[in-house]
Amino acid sequence: MSRSIALLICLVGGLTMLVSPFLPMATGWANEVTDWFNILAAMAFVLGGGSLLKVQLMRLSARGPGWGYSAVTLLAFVVTLWVGLGKVGVVADASAPAVAWSGKPDDEGSAFWWIYLYVMTPITSTLFAVLAFYVASAAFRAFRAKNLEATLLLVTAFIILLGRTFAGVVLTGWLPDWASGLRLENLAVTIMDVFNTAGNRAIIIGIALGVASTGIRLMLGLDRSYLGGDA
Amino acid sequence: MSDVIANQSEPTQGRWWIGLFLVIAVLVAIRAGIGEGMGRVYVQTESTSYVSTEGEGGRVSWSAVPGVTEDSVTIDRDVFRTAGQYRAAEAAAPGQQAIRLSWDRTIGLWLAAFFTLAVFSFLAGDNPAYKLTESIVIGVSAGYWMVVAFWETLVPKLLAQLAPDLVKAWCMPNLEGGAFNPVALVPLGLGIMLLSQLTPLGRHVGRWPLAFVIGTFAGLKMVSHVESDIIEQVRATVLPLVVSSEDGSLAAWASLRNVLIVTGVLCTLAYFVFSVEHKGAVGRAARVGVWFLMITFGSAFGFTVMGRIALLAARFEFLFIDWLWLIDPKGERGMSVVAAVMQSG
Amino acid sequence: MSGTLDRRWIYLAMMLAVALPILWNGVTGKTFPESPTPPSQACFDAIEALPAGSRVLVSFDYDPASEGELAPMATTFLRHLMHKGLRPVIIALWPLGPTKAEETIANVMKVDFPDRVSGRDYVNLGFQTGNEGVLKVIGTDFRKQFPVDRSGTPVDRLPIMEGITKVGDFPLVITISAGYPGGKEWVQYVSSANPGLVLLAGVTGVQASQVYSYYPGQLRGMLAAIKGAAEYEALVSAAIDGDRVTAPKYTEARRRMAPQLFGHLLLIALIVIGNAMYFAQRRCKAVAP
């Protein structure tokens, strides 16, 4: 019963979205349903937090290897929640200075803002920045012109890397106007405009066809994997 | 090629990195002792007084006034000031307190520098500093997203529908007084069912909001992908293969460009058709498609490298400008250490 | 080169290739000249073409992880819009987007355009969960998705929102995008459904090659990675500052092009060396009995 209701809900939700572009009177309904979807997405953040809490508490109680790090994660999570939900250090908004809770949680000077600026920002941005080192190392080890395909990839990468910096101007800026299409910066534009556009366009069309067929399978209940095995 | 890249043996590695960290620590200590030092954050408290006026419909609005009055409400905010502004204020009035050192923000800055270096330390291998940083960011991120979802979506779009007067009195005083909206009970109910997945009882009920999300998402995606990524992209590929200039002559480059795009899309699609064996004409087309794909991946690689280096540059800028005060491209402190050293040299 | 190379030498080389140009730039203040590519020029032209007072929807779809590439774009977009007398309505599809927007507002509006008032000349409506769900709703009912601004003031009371009922009421939409949801979703859900609307995107390097396929049809202009940001920065500086010195906060992307140059050169050198070693080794194996 639970499974049948779920399949019906899936079908109705999907159909509402599908018919709305064709039936103007269904637009309001589709917006209402999408709005519920968006609110559920906010609930999913809460679910994610709850799930993290559950997993870390289990690791902590099991006292397995690295349980100290679980304690750190839990502490960081709880402190962030407390200062954010409690608007610690937030002053009232200028539009309603008499209401203490009217300020935004991430206002400059608040504890939540402090966490954003001095904890979230440096860690997340450095985690991405470190990839520059790994890309360099991997390129040295694995980027080999072994055959025609690999050579094409490599030469394209060189043109983009040179053409998108001042190196392109220095190396090929001397070419006369009638050969300006061969300047590295112009070659980089041509690659993006012609070859990259064609290749990516085929990928995009292929993905779209896949999305459409998967959507139909889900709505018709042919793909039920999201319901779990024992449903 | 496995011998081309090789890590040194573990003990040597450990000593090498301990040595490097010690060198960094000594350099930072030396840097802190030179000139104006480094890594300090200054603030100034800005006080603003507001008075209220009642407008049409009893709506209260607040406006800033120059001085403090009996019926005014004053709000104090600490705002950033640069080291240059602090120095200028000190020169004008030694011992002034208007612009002052912010201990919490200064500690935050040093902590941010520590986190940055801790993440970089992963290049040497997994270590406690990196693990600690990783644990912190997992907890903080989950908490951060929950808080943002609560204040930006759940309060204005759900709670304000269910209990408008309560929300208005509590945290959204500018909210128009509305009535209870029973339709909002639907997402509330679905949300509670979703959260029940955290409990053993919620396994069955939790499927319904999941089915709702998946069905809605599938419907949303189908419409947009067909419209934007199939119809519009095919339309953009239907190009004239022979292009004429304004004077009627053949526009060779424009024609060649269009031929390449149309050929490229068709050949690449041929490569993705796996229900037909890649032999004969299809095989040759698929091979050309692979060449287009390789050029596409090469350009993607080039752009990815570009992105990663930009992010790395931003982190170094943080260390050199905000923390170490080595350079001063924004002119916030008047003179950078590197420039001073170069000038004295 | 003795056949082995510790990867930490590569890391050190990359560190120096990026760090030294930053220090050089910090001392000299010099940047490379930039000539705009067509997608960057199209961004500039689309904004220039709007009459003063027009409302522009700007979506901050990124977080600190990508700010090295995208923050300079955001700063320059807002500077250009404010200088032209346009009125940005800011939203975010990423949870940390509103905070990035507040930072940019503090950096641009509050310092260089102090006479502009929030709610009349610009507004930050904040973040909403739902990714493409948000885009679907604002396609026909903007206020349902963004009922209040970040201060909790209903949008019905904001002068800047007068007459705006759906996303198609904006003549121009800009997304500053780090991934999903971002440039691609704006094309799929907004641009394709509103043929008259002009969509511009500032995207990260990782996204650039995918999103390029939508240009110039469904996406009228695009800033691709830090180079796109530098080109656009140069265009805006030339239009606003002329011969005057540009404030350093508006040259951030151009300053980053120096480390970019040396980083790219190092990478090319590494690939060439790696290949040379590979082919030399292969030849040795082939010659050996």
Side-chain angles (χ1 to χ4, degrees):
Chain A
M1 184 64 182
S2 158
R3 186 189 176 100
S4 303
I5 293 173
L7 291 173
L8 188 68
I9 291 173
C10 181
L11 179 67
V12 171
L15 282 179
T16 311
M17 294 297 113
L18 276 185
V19 299
S20 70
F22 304 101
L23 295 174
M25 60 281 258
T27 304
W29 250 108
N31 279 349
E32 196 64 54
V33 170
T34 315
D35 203 35
W36 298 346
F37 170 87
N38 295 344
I39 292 170
L40 273 182
M43 291 286 196
F45 282 112
V46 181
L47 181 67
S51 196
L52 178 91
L53 193 68
K54 192 175 162 183
V55 170
Q56 299 299 328
L57 278 173
M58 279 162 64
R59 283 184 60 184
L60 202 60
S61 64
R63 286 288 198 279
W67 65 270
Y69 293 114
S70 291
V72 171
T73 301
L74 271 179
L75 187 69
F77 176 69
V78 172
V79 168
T80 309
L81 264 190
W82 171 57
V83 302
L85 296 179
K87 291 193 177 180
V88 174
V90 174
V91 294
D93 192 78
S95 66
V99 180
W101 281 72
S102 61
K104 299 181 280 289
D106 59 349
D107 270 344
E108 182 181 337
S110 70
F112 194 62
W113 166 86
W114 190 94
I115 287 175
Y116 158 80
L117 191 65
Y118 297 121
V119 182
M120 280 280 277
T121 298
I123 302 177
T124 55
S125 52
T126 314
L127 281 170
F128 275 73
V130 161
L131 295 177
F133 294 103
Y134 294 124
V135 167
S137 175
F140 174 74
R141 280 182 295 153
F143 217 155
R144 299 282 176 266
K146 285 180 180 173
N147 51 36
L148 174 65
E149 284 78 12
T151 309
L152 274 175
L153 197 148
L154 200 142
V155 170
T156 309
F158 279 10
I159 293 171
I160 296 290
L161 288 170
L162 293 171
R164 299 285 293 174
T165 60
F166 195 64
V169 178
V170 171
L171 292 172
T172 54
W174 54 270
L175 283 170
D177 281 347
W178 60 266
S180 63
L182 296 174
R183 287 177 191 158
L184 281 166
E185 64 269 30
N186 294 335
L187 274 180
V189 170
T190 305
I191 285 173
M192 295 308 289
D193 186 40
V194 179
F195 297 94
N196 173 77
T197 294
N200 260 318
R201 189 164 284 166
I203 294 173
I204 286 172
I205 293 170
I207 290 173
L209 290 169
V211 166
S213 63
T214 307
I216 291 170
R217 286 177 59 79
L218 282 165
M219 283 196 294
L220 295 180
L222 299 172
D223 183 345
R224 306 173 181 193
S225 52
Y226 65 93
L227 293 175
D230 60 340
Chain B
M1 285 303 287
S2 59
D3 58 335
V4 173
I5 293 273
N7 276 319
Q8 292 167 11
S9 59
E10 285 304 315
T12 318
Q13 189 181 48
R15 281 200 296 275
W16 199 87
W17 282 102
I18 289 169
L20 183 67
F21 281 130
L22 281 175
V23 169
I24 290 171
V26 169
L27 286 174
V28 168
I30 293 169
R31 169 66 199 94
I34 296 174
E36 291 180 281
M38 59 180 272
R40 292 194 298 275
V41 183
Y42 297 94
V43 292
Q44 183 173 17
T45 304
E46 282 186 349
S47 296
T48 314
S49 297
Y50 300 87
V51 290
S52 62
T53 47
E54 201 163 314
E56 56 179 281
R59 186 184 292 161
V60 176
S61 61
W62 293 82
S63 49
V65 289
V68 180
T69 59
E70 264 186 25
D71 56 347
S72 68
V73 177
T74 302
I75 293 179
D76 293 335
R77 294 172 197 278
D78 284 349
V79 292
F80 279 114
R81 290 290 179 259
T82 64
Q85 288 170 319
Y86 170 76
R87 205 170 51 232
E90 278 291 308
Q96 55 81 37
Q97 285 298 309
I99 300 179
R100 61 188 191 283
L101 181 75
S102 168
W103 279 105
D104 61 325
R105 295 186 194 198
T106 300
I107 291 168
L109 180 70
W110 280 75
L111 203 59
F114 166 76
F115 287 140
T116 303
L117 295 175
V119 176
F120 280 139
S121 75
F122 189 71
L123 292 168
D126 211 356
N127 62 74
Y130 174 78
K131 276 186 177 154
L132 179 77
T133 306
E134 190 187 39
S135 308
I136 289 173
V137 80
I138 292 168
V140 166
S141 299
Y144 200 97
W145 293 332
M146 260 180 82
V147 169
V148 171
F150 179 77
W151 286 115
E152 303 257 350
T153 299
L154 293 179
V155 170
K157 291 189 64 184
L158 188 63
L159 297 183
Q161 301 280 314
L162 295 168
D165 294 332
L166 178 73
V167 171
K168 184 178 166 72
W170 170 40
C171 60
M172 292 177 70
N174 298 318
L175 200 67
E176 301 287 356
F180 163 73
N181 179 8
V183 178
L185 288 171
V186 178
L188 177 71
L190 286 169
I192 291 169
M193 282 190 238
L194 190 71
L195 293 180
S196 72
Q197 287 201 327
L198 290 169
T199 67
L201 297 171
R203 287 186 62 196
H204 290 281
V205 179
R207 285 189 189 123
W208 297 348
L210 199 62
F212 172 78
V213 166
I214 285 174
T216 313
F217 195 63
L220 259 177
K221 283 261 172 199
M222 275 176 69
V223 174
S224 69
H225 276 73
V226 169
E227 190 177 11
S228 160
D229 287 3
I230 299 179
I231 296 172
E232 290 296 328
Q233 287 289 291
V234 168
R235 185 176 291 158
T237 312
V238 180
L239 297 165
L241 300 182
V242 179
V243 183
S244 301
S245 315
E246 282 179 11
D247 60 1
S249 61
L250 177 75
W253 168 239
S255 302
L256 179 64
R257 174 188 176 275
N258 289 359
V259 167
L260 283 170
I261 289 178
V262 174
T263 311
V265 173
L266 292 176
C267 290
T268 312
L269 281 173
Y271 172 72
F272 287 127
V273 177
F274 298 113
S275 50
V276 180
E277 202 175 350
H278 288 186
K279 277 183 175 174
V282 177
R284 282 192 292 276
R287 185 157 168 74
V288 174
V290 170
W291 295 342
F292 271 86
L293 280 176
M294 287 301 132
I295 296 175
T296 304
F297 296 149
S299 62
F301 174 79
F303 268 93
T304 302
V305 168
M306 180 160 220
R308 296 301 173 228
I309 292 176
L311 303 183
L312 182 62
R315 289 324 294 160
F316 280 151
E317 282 177 15
F318 162 75
L319 292 174
F320 295 162
I321 300 169
D322 298 321
W323 182 49
L324 291 168
W325 292 8
L326 284 178
I327 50 174
D328 186 21
K330 297 177 195 163
E332 290 178 340
R333 292 184 294 278
M335 170 76 82
S336 73
V337 169
V338 175
V341 169
M342 286 180 73
Q343 280 179 16
S344 65
Chain C
M1 207 60 70
S2 62
T4 63
L5 178 62
D6 192 308
R7 71 185 71 201
R8 282 166 299 191
W9 289 113
I10 296 175
Y11 298 158
L12 183 66
M14 180 56 85
M15 195 183 91
L16 293 175
V18 176
L20 292 179
I22 292 173
L23 294 172
W24 169 80
N25 178 276
V27 174
T28 62
K30 287 179 183 166
T31 56
F32 296 122
E34 294 293 339
S35 55
T37 49
S40 306
Q41 183 72 50
C43 284
F44 179 81
D45 293 343
I47 292 174
E48 286 288 306
L50 287 179
S54 303
R55 272 83 55 94
V56 177
L57 185 66
V58 184
S59 191
F60 276 65
D61 304 330
Y62 71 100
D63 63 9
S66 307
E67 70 181 337
E69 286 183 277
L70 300 180
M73 294 182 194
T75 304
T76 315
F77 268 131
L78 288 194
R79 183 194 191 202
H80 194 189
L81 295 175
M82 297 310 279
H83 176 77
K84 284 286 298 173
L86 303 170
R87 297 187 289 164
V89 173
I90 296 168
I91 61 168
L93 301 181
W94 283 45
L96 278 85
T99 318
K100 297 307 312 171
E102 294 289 350
E103 277 178 8
T104 317
I105 287 169
N107 204 16
V108 178
M109 275 78 146
K110 294 192 175 153
V111 176
D112 294 335
F113 304 93
D115 57 323
R116 309 291 171 90
V117 180
S118 173
R120 188 192 68 194
D121 302 308
Y122 65 89
V123 71
N124 185 1
L125 300 182
F127 160 76
Q128 284 298 330
T129 52
N131 301 339
E132 45 271 89
V134 175
L135 301 179
K136 162 78 179 165
V137 177
I138 64 173
T140 47
D141 192 350
F142 196 89
R143 284 152 202 247
K144 185 170 188 64
Q145 196 58 62
F146 291 95
V148 294
D149 73 357
R150 292 205 82 215
S151 307
T153 307
V155 291
D156 294 337
R157 276 167 42 191
L158 301 174
I160 193 173
M161 294 303 292
E162 209 171 284
I164 298 282
T165 57
K166 57 186 188 301
V167 73
D169 293 332
F170 292 98
L172 179 69
V173 174
I174 299 170
T175 166
I176 305 157
S177 145
Y180 170 80
K184 194 173 169 69
E185 284 67 33
W186 277 97
V187 168
Q188 289 174 331
Y189 293 86
V190 173
S191 170
S192 302
N194 298 276
L197 182 145
V198 175
L199 176 68
L200 309 177
V203 298
T204 56
V206 175
Q207 270 197 302
S209 76
Q210 301 168 28
V211 176
Y212 216 102
S213 299
Y214 296 113
Y215 168 80
Q218 292 152 279
L219 188 63
R220 300 290 177 82
M222 181 174 84
L223 303 182
I226 194 72
K227 167 74 170 160
E231 290 169 359
Y232 179 57
E233 223 178 55
L235 283 167
V236 173
S237 287
I240 296 177
D241 302 316
D243 294 332
R244 283 174 287 133
V245 176
T246 305
K249 67 183 171 188
Y250 297 128
T251 62
E252 209 174 3
R254 278 173 285 174
R255 288 204 306 270
R256 276 184 201 146
M257 287 311 290
Q260 205 73 50
L261 167 65
F262 289 96
H264 288 195
L265 290 177
L266 172 69
L267 204 95
I268 289 171
L270 286 171
I271 294 172
V272 170
I273 293 168
N275 273 280
M277 288 166 66
Y278 168 74
F279 285 112
Q281 229 173 30
R282 211 163 70 162
R283 192 170 302 157
C284 286
K285 277 180 190 167
V287 170

